[in-house]
Amino acid sequence: MKIKAFAPGKIILFGEHTVVYNKPAIAVAINRGVDVELTSRDDDEVNIHISPINYSQKLVLTGGMLEYEYDSSNKRISDYIYEVINRFKFNHGFNLNVNINMYLGAGLGSSAAVTVAVLKAIMLYTDNDATLDEIASIARDIEIKIQGAASPIDTAMSTYGGIIYIDENSNLNPINFDMQLPLIVSNCEIAGNTGEIVASVRDKYNKHTPIMESIFDAMAKIATDAKMALECGNSMKLAELMNMNQGLLDAIGVNTLELSEMVYQSRKFGSEGSKLTGSGGGGCIIAYAPHDIDEVYLKLSQLYKTFKCEQSNSGVYAKI
Ligand code: PMV
């Protein structure tokens, strides 16, 4: 038996960090993600291979389960996979090939895409007819266990796909948007540590609570206005709101010299809106270029690892 599954990664268009404080955010699932291929075996072996990081591990099921202890001092992408496998009981072993077709650890949700895609494949293998809501909920639980804290954004985007507005009550509201957003992603190739950056924002919040609250409120207003701008196709307003959001992300201390440079280069090359995406401290920027995406893409790709980012309207799915 062979099972194949795919789950997309994501970018955050608006609302990173403030979403942790129950403010609204907008995220977009992207057409880059994680492919998983599971092949059944007749024995009790479980062979895991992750590319492109060249990770291979051979394990044996004991009583239908894997014996694996998660080591919180050493968080690795493989931990998410073991954590998924640990939640099921198996009659036979299997080979699991996980192919990460996106930047790893760059704020594009690679760990959530791995978790959700593996979860889908294993659920199919164990005849578990889970709903998308169940997949999203288990995946989030796993992210919280391994990362310490996580908003529902990454796992929701990998599960449901599309463009989602997360409101102040953490409800996920799909935004219907048929066209492709003219977005480019560039990677500074310095990894940010989400947990540490979220903690640094918390410190600043505790130190300067009234100021941080005003900034968060402004960011929340930006996200709600951006939802309207998206819905009525007001691209210039959307771009302006991205630039304002970037300024406020700088104010809360999550911007870096490298990200700033990329943002200003992208604007110089003609992108109307640009900002960091995800936790900051490293990782990626997004450039929104409704007038000349090809030119901005060409110029950015001469300087940085860059791709044109198409949204994925589907979330996790089994491949036939
Ligand atoms: O860098 P990423 O993709 O892990 O995004 C983190 C987004 C935060 O809002 C900073 C944290 C969260 O859990 O939502």
Side-chain angles (χ1 to χ4, degrees), residues 10 12 15-20 106-111 143 147 149-154 192 194 197-198 277-280:
K10 65 94 205 5
I12 299 178
E16 48 273 276
H17 288 290
T18 40
V19 71
V20 175
L108 302 183
S110 52
S111 58
E143 283 243 305
Q147 259 168 234
S151 75
I153 285 192
D154 286 19
T194 302
I197 298 160
V198 169
T277 185
S279 64

Side-chain angles (χ1 to χ4, degrees), residues 10-62:
K10 65 94 205 5
I11 53 154
I12 299 178
L13 211 47
F14 293 94
E16 48 273 276
H17 288 290
T18 40
V19 71
V20 175
Y21 297 76
N22 297 322
K23 305 284 186 202
I26 301 175
V28 181
I30 60 175
N31 65 347
R32 296 199 169 204
V34 172
D35 279 298
V36 169
E37 191 178 284
L38 186 154
T39 322
S40 59
R41 296 179 62 93
D42 294 331
D43 55 21
D44 281 342
E45 260 182 36
V46 172
N47 293 310
I48 296 170
H49 183 77
I50 310 173
S51 54
I53 58 168
N54 262 331
Y55 172 95
S56 286
Q57 184 67 267
K58 183 182 285 200
L59 298 153
V60 179
L61 294 170
T62 317

Side-chain angles (χ1 to χ4, degrees), residues 10-12 16-17 102-110 184-194 197 246 254-263 275-287 300 303-307:
K10 65 94 205 5
I11 53 154
I12 299 178
E16 48 273 276
H17 288 290
M102 60 190 294
Y103 304 144
L104 191 62
L108 302 183
S110 52
I184 299 159
V185 174
S186 289
N187 185 356
C188 78
E189 296 183 67
I190 299 169
N193 180 322
T194 302
I197 298 160
Q246 170 66 11
V254 302
N255 194 18
T256 65
L257 173 67
E258 292 78 11
L259 291 170
S260 237
E261 245 170 47
M262 292 164 85
V263 160
K275 62 180 277 293
L276 66 85
T277 185
S279 64
C284 294
I285 66 142
I286 47 174
L300 279 175
L303 296 179
Y304 313 108
K305 265 194 171 170
T306 297
F307 67 94

Side-chain angles (χ1 to χ4, degrees), residues 122-134:
I122 297 227
M123 282 179 156
L124 289 169
Y125 185 51
T126 53
D127 280 328
N128 188 321
D129 215 0
T131 62
L132 287 182
D133 289 353
E134 282 163 338

Side-chain angles (χ1 to χ4, degrees), residues 213-231:
E213 272 180 353
S214 305
I215 297 174
F216 286 178
D217 285 344
M219 285 165 137
K221 179 78 179 120
I222 287 173
T224 47
D225 279 14
K227 176 177 181 279
M228 283 187 281
L230 255 179
E231 283 167 343

